Structure formats: structure tokens, C-alpha cells
Amino acid sequence: MSKNKSNKTNAEVAHRGVYSTLKTLVHLIAFVQFSYAIYYDYTYVHAKQLEHQHKLPAAKPFGGKFKFLTFIDAVLQAVYFAICLVNDFFGSNEVSANNLPLIRKLKDFLLASLAFPIAMNVGITFWTLMAIDRELVFPKALDLIFPWWLNHIMHTNIMIFISLEMFTTFRVYPNRRTGLGVLSTFMILYLIWIHIIRYIGGFWVYPILDVLNIYTRIIFFLIILAFTIVLYLFGELVNNLIWTRELKLISRKTK
């Protein structure tokens, strides 16, 4: 009986070891691909090459790459998965809400408040507008300098890898007011930023804003803000459904 128990324990330890290794591998792949996408986009994708043939907001120098939420989100995802890697080696992935290392707390908070809702926002909004009229968000002329694989890393893989992280790694969501406060502040600051670009640079970052009047533009911005908040709540709901047993266990321990 004791031998069977020992064999079962060894098998569980081995299983946890393989699972931990696979998670670290996923974190590494995510970090490398997002980092390379940022490097490639920043170094080789210059819409100014198309400025004489096509009037594109991307060709305008003011704001650089950081005028696009897609690029900002790619940086955010690279930073997030770098933090995941550091946590894998020096932090903890244990199911616990107490005595967690700072890097683990930062990782959990960053996913909940920014990494998940922003990635899903960028991906869903981009592909929805592409389906309606790609000229409103990603003019066909950009295909000449923006390769298809980079497009999918920036707009598809961000959703895939952050969803994998949601389903494979436990976390306790932060206080809703705090999480939503950080997310809302981020989005409001970005909306202010694109208005600064409009005022100083004289152009809208996204072509869709050129076809909207002031009233429909305000409605569009409010919808984007509301959608982002819904994505935060959706992430919280999904997390609670996936990790129901673990969250209940922690709740009993903290009472």
C-alpha cells in the first residue's frame, strides 16, 4: 500500500514537472515572438515608403510606432511574458493568495488589469473592422510593407497566447475597482494621446475616425471604452469559472 502511494506521489511530481516545463516553454515562445515582432515592425516597417503613392496615417512621423494601440499592446505582451519567465524561475506558480513573491503579484495583476483586456480588445476590434471594411483600419496598401505573419502575431497571436495563459495558470483577480481603475486610466490616456496626435500632427491615427463626425466619433470612443470594461469583467468571469475549486480552497483557508 505504501509502495503504491509512493509511486502515485512520484507520478504526480513528474506530471507537475512536465506541466511546469510546458508552461515555461509557452512563455518563452510568446516572449520571443512578440519581441521579434516589435523589433521587425520598428526596424523594417516604414509606411513613409508609401507616402507618395498613398495617403496613410501610418506614414506620418508624429507619434512614431507608439501612436498605434497594436504596437503598444505588443510591447505590453512582451513585457508580460518576460515577467512570466522571471516568475517561472525565481517566483512561484503555486495556488495561493498569501505570501506570494512580488514578481508573481505583478504578473497576476498585469494580466487581469491590462494584458488580457487590451489584447482581446485589439484583436477583436481589428478583425471586426477588417471584416467590415479593411480600409477603415488596415488599408490594403500596407500589405506591401507589413507582412502577413507580422499581422497575425500582432492581431491574432496576442489573443491566443493570453488565452492560453488564462487557462493554464492560476491567479486571484485584484479588487475590481483597482483593476478597472488601472484599465480605464490606460484607455483614457490613449484616447487623449490620439487627440494630441490629431491636434499637433494634423491627422487621425485610424482611418475610421476620418469618416466619423464629432457625434459618431464620441459614440465610437464610448463604445470602445465600454467594450474594454466588458472584456475585463469577462476575463474575471472566465478566471473564476476555470479556477473555481482553487479559489474556493483559498477562500476557506483565509477565513
Side-chain angles (χ1 to χ4, degrees):
M1 188 75 174
S2 176
K3 186 177 180 180
N4 290 337
K5 187 176 181 180
S6 176
N7 289 338
K8 184 178 179 181
T9 301
N10 290 337
E12 289 175 350
V13 170
H15 176 74
R16 285 199 297 268
V18 171
Y19 184 64
S20 177
T21 300
L22 287 175
K23 279 200 297 186
T24 301
L25 181 61
V26 170
H27 292 158
L28 178 61
I29 292 171
F31 170 70
V32 170
Q33 70 163 329
F34 292 131
S35 297
Y36 181 72
I38 294 165
Y39 164 76
Y40 187 94
D41 190 5
Y42 196 85
T43 306
Y44 298 108
V45 179
H46 300 297
K48 195 171 179 63
Q49 302 163 15
L50 308 174
E51 190 172 12
H52 297 299
Q53 295 88 3
H54 309 276
K55 293 182 179 180
L56 299 174
K60 306 294 184 179
F62 188 80
K65 295 291 183 179
F66 286 93
K67 59 178 170 280
F68 300 108
L69 187 58
T70 292
F71 188 82
I72 295 172
D73 179 58
V75 173
L76 173 63
Q77 300 304 316
V79 169
Y80 173 74
F81 283 105
I83 291 172
C84 287
L85 284 171
V86 174
N87 180 69
D88 288 340
F89 289 104
F90 304 105
S92 169
N93 286 307
E94 293 298 316
V95 176
S96 175
N98 299 315
N99 301 317
L100 293 175
L102 179 61
I103 191 70
R104 165 66 185 278
K105 292 179 181 178
L106 176 61
K107 180 180 83 75
D108 291 356
F109 184 81
L110 189 58
L111 180 135
S113 61
L114 291 175
F116 180 82
I118 298 299
M120 300 305 288
N121 187 345
V122 168
I124 294 172
T125 303
F126 176 83
W127 289 115
T128 300
L129 291 175
M130 280 282 284
I132 296 171
D133 182 355
R134 69 168 298 175
E135 295 300 315
L136 296 176
V137 64
F138 192 81
K140 192 172 180 60
L142 287 177
D143 288 345
L144 297 172
I145 60 169
F146 204 91
W148 65 268
W149 60 265
L150 183 60
N151 190 10
H152 280 293
I153 288 178
M154 295 288 210
H155 299 110
T156 305
N157 289 8
I158 52 168
M159 295 188 290
I160 293 173
F161 277 87
I162 207 66
S163 296
L164 279 174
E165 179 69 7
M166 176 71 79
F167 278 83
T168 59
T169 306
F170 173 79
R171 76 203 50 78
V172 176
Y173 255 60
N175 174 277
R176 186 177 292 177
R177 179 178 295 181
T178 303
L180 280 176
V182 170
L183 176 61
S184 299
T185 300
F186 176 89
M187 288 302 297
I188 290 171
L189 287 175
Y190 180 70
L191 292 181
I192 292 173
W193 171 228
I194 64 175
H195 279 83
I196 291 173
I197 293 171
R198 170 63 177 171
Y199 180 75
I200 298 178
F203 65 96
W204 286 113
V205 172
Y206 302 104
I208 188 174
L209 297 176
D210 277 317
V211 302
L212 301 177
N213 60 40
I214 186 171
Y215 302 108
T216 53
R217 199 177 301 134
I218 290 172
I219 292 172
F220 178 76
F221 289 142
L222 290 176
I223 290 173
I224 292 296
L225 283 173
F227 181 55
T228 308
I229 291 172
V230 168
L231 287 172
Y232 177 94
L233 298 175
F234 174 72
E236 183 182 53
L237 175 63
V238 170
N239 185 73
N240 292 344
L241 290 174
I242 296 169
W243 305 103
T244 300
R245 183 171 62 84
E246 290 81 0
L247 290 169
K248 285 182 178 178
L249 180 63
I250 288 176
S251 180
R252 286 198 296 268
K253 286 182 178 179
T254 55
K255 284 182 180 178

